[in-house]
Amino acid sequence: MILQALVRYYQRMVEREAKGIAGYGYSPEKISYEIVLAPDGTVQAVNDIRDTTGKKPQPRLLDVPQPEKRTVGIKPNFLWDKTSYVLGVSATSKRTDKEHEAFKVFHEEALAGTQDEGLQALLAFLRRWSPDQFQAPLFLEEMLDANLVFRLGDERRHLHEREAAQAVRARLLGDESAEEGAQPISASSAICLVSGEVAPIARLHPPIKGVNGAQSSGASLVSFNLDAFTSYCKSQGDNAPISEQAAFAYTSVLNYLLRRGPDNRQRQQVGDTSVVFWAEAAGGEVDAQAAENFLASLLMPPDDDSEAERLRTVLDGLSKGRPLAELDPGLASGTRMYVLGLAPNASRLSVRYWQADTLEVFAKRLAEHAQDLRIEPLPWRVEPTVYRLLLATVPNREGAKPKTDDAFDNLIGETMRAILSGGLYPRSLLANTVMRIRSDGNLSGMRAAICKGVLTRERRRGIHTSDEEIPVSLDKQSTLPGYQLGRLFAVLEYVQRCALGGQVNATIRDRYYGAASATPAAIFPVLLRNTQNHLGKLRKERPGQAVTLEREIRDIVEGLPDRFPRSLKIEGQGSFAIGYYHQSHTHFTKRDATGDAAEHTETETEGAL
């Protein structure tokens, strides 16, 4: 189904002549220089055609005959290649003589009998060229190992764009199929799993480039290269029969989707997974483009405040059951959406997740995700991406921002799959977050939101770890032991701050949070005894505040069981974090309202990540 959807998308892109999508047998490749030939094969000029709009010149993407898939063998490309093949010179290759000879022999055979002036000029060039001629001023050392194309005289098109060259290319593609056998059904011609038609089968599929962490030369989504994969006398691509045209189509459009650049909103990087998505709309490309832009905004919320507010309004409406078409009439809710996550795996690619559904279904799942995470006070200005969300699960390093490289790749993948499919968040997401809070003492709003999101979704899916819903904002009536203990811990810390002011080197959160959230019975009696000393000081200095805080402690303790729990399970520790977050921010809000300097926590800077 993945390959079928990709091939359909490729066909639509070709029909509308989309930039960056080449026809069968061609592909966009990075080209740096062009050699201008005279009709007799002499070199008139060597032009640098790289893009110089940025700080550093970059190769230009040109549609050229699709490159050969090279491993260790020597295989020249048609009418273009790197300098070791075209000119017999290289800064790295140790077999330039063999590569250049292969390039000459291949073109002598392919272009034999041609009457085209440009192709004859190329043959004449190859016959008279010697690597010793690679000298300034025409040829510079910076050209070594760059890709080259050819052009005839003052013509604007390159040799591979000439009609005669395209005819030769089509013949070569046909010859390759004929060499494998043109019988209706044979070892190399079979029913294509993608199109359902009998066609020559691709033994090797073109490489897919652009997946982070994969080989720079490209990796394969479908490949068989060991004897262990041979069965029923079938080897390589015959094990999964896909026609050459279908293999070309799906790899071409995947390379297009994976292209890098600020103009590509159909590609997202989430941890080690490169995520691409596309739309298939009955209403045409306008509806498809609108759907792709909308999904891109959902997955990567905009920084613009007005756009972020508009997106939040749509998500809130969806969470309340309103249809997408009513919230945004410019979107066709029935548009089919496809999301594919690819991760590197040596010379191959692994599919981390594959989701296909309508735009409205995806929008509702993302709205549900936002609703599950929602916690008051809201710790972000813009809805967090999965990237920002997973940053909360990695350790805080003193003087440095957390990096997603420290996050577990499988955790990132499972979390993204849960968001897209609407399934349960991985339990390890809660466990890792709780563990990080206990280890570094940083209870940010993002971490509290993760705890709340995991527990809320489990309850929504029928896993009742408690008899109550997880509160969004401060709930003084809650009877969840973990939540109430978190509230109590926040009040005790606040009492300490009020009594000692700026003289506190380390609060009880810095010293006791981990133990208090895991083994309350061992810690809270000690904390309550110490709190009496702080309250005694407050009674002398601010008796009114002391009375208020004593009442607050008493109300929370009365809602707890007769004895403090000996231990809290992981969900209880998550509730503890949520209760602490709610209660501590209530204190900060009160202090702001009275004009006192508020104590700022990590939560208030979380939105800056």
Side-chain angles (χ1 to χ4, degrees):
M1 185 176 178
I2 297 175
L3 302 188
Q4 289 174 333
L6 285 167
V7 170
R8 288 198 304 270
Y9 186 49
Y10 169 81
Q11 292 168 345
R12 294 203 321 272
M13 297 288 284
V14 170
E15 288 172 3
R16 64 184 179 94
E17 298 181 350
K19 185 178 179 181
I21 290 290
Y24 176 55
Y26 292 77
S27 66
E29 300 295 332
K30 296 178 180 179
I31 308 296
S32 298
Y33 299 90
E34 64 176 11
I35 298 177
V36 182
L37 300 177
D40 63 355
T42 58
V43 179
Q44 291 183 337
V46 178
N47 298 329
D48 186 342
I49 60 174
R50 292 177 293 177
D51 183 0
T52 57
T53 56
K55 295 181 179 179
K56 185 179 180 181
Q58 296 294 331
R60 191 180 300 274
L61 284 178
L62 296 180
D63 286 344
V64 296
Q66 188 178 18
E68 294 292 333
K69 190 169 185 179
R70 296 169 180 157
T71 51
V72 294
I74 296 177
K75 297 180 180 180
N77 294 325
F78 183 57
L79 298 180
W80 72 278
D81 218 314
K82 56 185 179 178
T83 58
S84 61
Y85 278 86
V86 176
L87 304 176
V89 292
S90 171
T92 57
S93 177
K94 297 180 180 179
R95 53 181 189 179
T96 54
D97 54 339
K98 295 180 180 178
E99 291 174 344
H100 180 56
E101 184 63 26
F103 189 83
K104 290 170 59 177
V105 171
F106 170 65
H107 284 85
E108 286 284 358
E109 295 175 355
L111 303 180
T114 183
Q115 300 301 314
D116 182 78
E117 184 182 21
L119 299 182
Q120 285 182 336
L122 174 63
L123 289 176
F125 163 78
L126 291 175
R127 289 164 185 163
R128 67 167 56 193
W129 172 260
S130 168
D132 297 337
Q133 297 174 253
F134 188 86
Q135 297 176 1
L138 283 179
F139 298 95
L140 304 177
E141 193 171 341
E142 64 181 16
M143 292 178 57
L144 292 177
D145 298 316
N147 287 329
L148 313 174
V149 291
F150 294 93
R151 183 162 62 82
L152 178 65
D154 296 331
E155 291 189 0
R156 301 185 63 180
R157 60 181 179 174
H158 294 107
L159 291 190
H160 64 268
E161 297 175 297
R162 300 173 71 92
E163 290 79 2
Q166 293 175 351
V168 173
R169 176 60 175 163
R171 175 174 57 79
L172 291 174
L173 291 173
D175 289 346
E176 290 173 4
S177 299
E179 288 174 5
E180 294 181 357
Q183 300 301 319
I185 297 182
S186 69
S188 58
S189 184
I191 297 176
C192 173
L193 295 178
V194 175
S195 66
E197 300 175 353
V198 175
I201 299 305
R203 300 180 67 82
L204 296 177
H205 293 205
I208 298 167
K209 302 176 182 179
V211 175
N212 275 20
Q215 294 181 350
S216 59
S217 58
S220 298
L221 190 59
V222 180
S223 69
F224 306 86
N225 69 336
L226 298 176
D227 292 340
F229 299 130
T230 301
S231 60
Y232 297 98
C233 299
K234 294 181 178 180
S235 62
Q236 295 183 318
D238 291 333
N239 286 281
I242 297 170
S243 69
E244 292 177 347
Q245 291 202 13
F248 173 84
Y250 90 78
T251 53
S252 294
V253 80
L254 256 184
N255 285 325
Y256 171 80
L257 289 168
L258 288 163
R259 72 193 187 281
R260 301 179 188 277
D263 62 319
N264 184 13
R265 299 194 68 198
Q266 293 176 263
R267 181 189 194 277
Q268 307 278 346
Q269 190 65 38
V270 184
D272 72 331
T273 305
S274 299
V275 184
V276 294
F277 55 90
W278 65 96
E280 194 175 88
E285 292 304 322
V286 174
D287 286 348
Q289 186 71 44
E292 288 165 359
N293 289 335
F294 180 66
L295 186 59
S297 297
L298 290 176
L299 294 176
M300 186 66 71
D303 291 330
D304 182 76
D305 287 342
S306 60
E307 282 297 311
E309 185 59 34
R310 186 186 72 84
L311 191 63
R312 188 174 291 122
T313 300
V314 173
L315 292 175
D316 289 344
L318 288 169
S319 64
K320 294 175 183 176
R322 296 176 61 188
L324 180 62
E326 178 185 316
L327 296 166
D328 193 332
L331 296 173
S333 57
T335 299
R336 194 76 177 167
M337 301 298 303
Y338 303 92
V339 183
L340 175 63
L342 297 173
N345 182 18
S347 61
R348 294 173 178 78
L349 300 176
S350 62
V351 176
R352 270 286 164 83
Y353 36 81
W354 162 251
Q355 294 291 325
D357 222 311
T358 64
L359 176 63
E360 183 156 26
V361 169
F362 274 117
K364 286 182 176 179
R365 288 172 181 170
L366 287 160
E368 186 180 71
H369 166 65
Q371 196 65 26
D372 288 342
L373 286 182
R374 189 172 184 84
I375 192 169
E376 297 292 345
L378 205 61
W380 47 72
R381 179 179 58 83
V382 178
E383 300 297 327
T385 62
V386 177
Y387 173 85
R388 282 182 56 205
L389 195 67
L390 271 297
L391 279 178
T393 67
V394 304
N396 280 0
R397 296 177 175 179
E398 188 175 351
K401 289 184 177 180
K403 299 179 180 179
T404 50
D405 293 342
D406 297 327
F408 296 111
D409 290 334
N410 62 335
L411 177 59
I412 298 174
E414 289 298 321
T415 302
M416 188 68 175
R417 182 186 290 109
I419 295 171
L420 293 172
S421 66
L424 291 172
Y425 297 115
R427 232 342 161 72
S428 56
L429 179 61
L430 175 64
N432 277 334
T433 304
V434 168
M435 180 179 66
R436 293 308 176 197
I437 296 172
R438 292 182 57 186
S439 63
D440 59 31
N442 175 24
L443 207 167
S444 65
M446 194 73 76
R447 287 178 170 179
I450 291 174
C451 295
K452 191 258 179 183
V454 174
L455 296 176
T456 298
R457 180 160 293 198
E458 287 185 349
R459 182 173 177 80
R460 194 195 298 270
R461 296 293 182 269
I463 301 176
H464 297 291
T465 53
S466 67
D467 296 330
E468 294 182 24
E469 291 187 4
I470 308 301
V472 176
S473 56
L474 181 64
D475 183 6
K476 296 183 177 181
Q477 308 305 316
S478 174
T479 59
L480 294 174
Y483 182 81
Q484 291 293 66
L485 287 169
R487 287 186 59 211
L488 178 59
F489 191 81
V491 175
L492 299 183
E493 182 190 25
Y494 185 64
V495 171
Q496 182 189 35
R497 288 183 181 275
C498 290
L500 303 181
Q503 302 174 14
V504 184
N505 292 326
T507 67
I508 62 171
R509 186 183 74 174
D510 300 320
R511 293 183 176 180
Y512 298 109
Y513 181 91
S517 63
T519 55
I523 300 299
F524 272 96
V526 177
L527 295 179
L528 287 170
R529 284 196 297 270
N530 292 339
T531 299
Q532 294 305 314
N533 299 327
H534 300 318
L535 287 172
K537 183 178 180 181
L538 284 176
R539 290 188 195 99
K540 298 175 183 178
E541 299 174 356
R542 296 190 292 276
Q545 186 181 39
V547 172
T548 301
L549 291 174
E550 283 182 308
R551 186 189 309 119
E552 197 165 11
I553 293 171
R554 183 175 63 252
D555 291 343
I556 296 174
V557 171
E558 287 177 354
L560 288 169
D562 294 337
R563 294 182 179 179
F564 289 112
R566 294 184 60 183
S567 63
L568 290 178
K569 295 181 179 179
I570 195 68
E571 57 268 15
Q573 294 179 46
S575 297
F576 187 100
I578 300 167
Y580 175 89
Y581 178 79
H582 284 158
Q583 187 66 49
S584 61
H585 277 266
T586 300
H587 292 145
F588 296 141
T589 303
K590 288 179 180 178
R591 296 189 66 178
D592 283 336
T594 58
D596 293 334
E599 299 283 351
H600 295 286
T601 69
E602 295 86 352
T603 306
E604 294 166 318
T605 60
E606 187 70 40
L609 288 178

